[in-house]
Amino acid sequence: YIPKKHLRSKISVSYDLEKKYTPFISGELFYEIGEYIDNVRYKAGVDYELNKFHTFNAYYMIDKEKNVKIPWTNYVFGIGYNFTF
């Protein structure tokens, strides 16, 4: 499979609680240029700031395929780690 030209748009909202935890939600659209939206992702989670260099996050994501005869849907639990220097 050779990927075609896609435009990926994402919007994200987070709420700073003035603490180490920051909840967030986001949505993404994958648009095949000149055609249609072929994938949608919804994500909700929380970031945990250990200190100014280390951040962990946990999230739940729904990944849906669109505009096909038999669309698939993935349900994903994830964890992440960011190191900032």
Side-chain angles (χ1 to χ4, degrees):
Y1 173 73
I2 299 173
K4 298 177 181 172
K5 295 179 182 178
H6 277 82
L7 177 64
R8 178 181 170 199
S9 301
K10 181 178 181 179
I11 187 166
S12 183
V13 176
S14 62
Y15 184 69
D16 187 8
L17 297 172
E18 299 293 330
K19 297 182 180 182
K20 293 186 175 210
Y21 296 97
T22 305
F24 65 87
I25 58 171
S26 68
E28 293 178 80
L29 296 174
F30 293 81
Y31 175 72
E32 188 173 331
I33 296 174
E35 297 291 326
Y36 49 82
I37 294 173
D38 61 353
N39 197 13
V40 178
R41 288 182 183 167
Y42 309 100
K43 186 188 281 189
V46 63
D47 289 332
Y48 174 73
E49 185 179 328
L50 188 61
N51 57 40
K52 68 179 185 176
F53 300 111
H54 305 280
T55 305
F56 295 93
N57 66 28
Y59 62 87
Y60 177 71
M61 179 175 67
I62 300 172
D63 186 7
K64 295 182 140 201
E65 187 177 37
K66 299 287 187 182
N67 295 314
V68 293
K69 286 185 180 182
I70 304 173
W72 48 259
T73 301
N74 291 322
Y75 301 97
V76 180
F77 284 102
I79 57 172
Y81 168 75
N82 290 323
F83 176 72
T84 306
F85 57 93

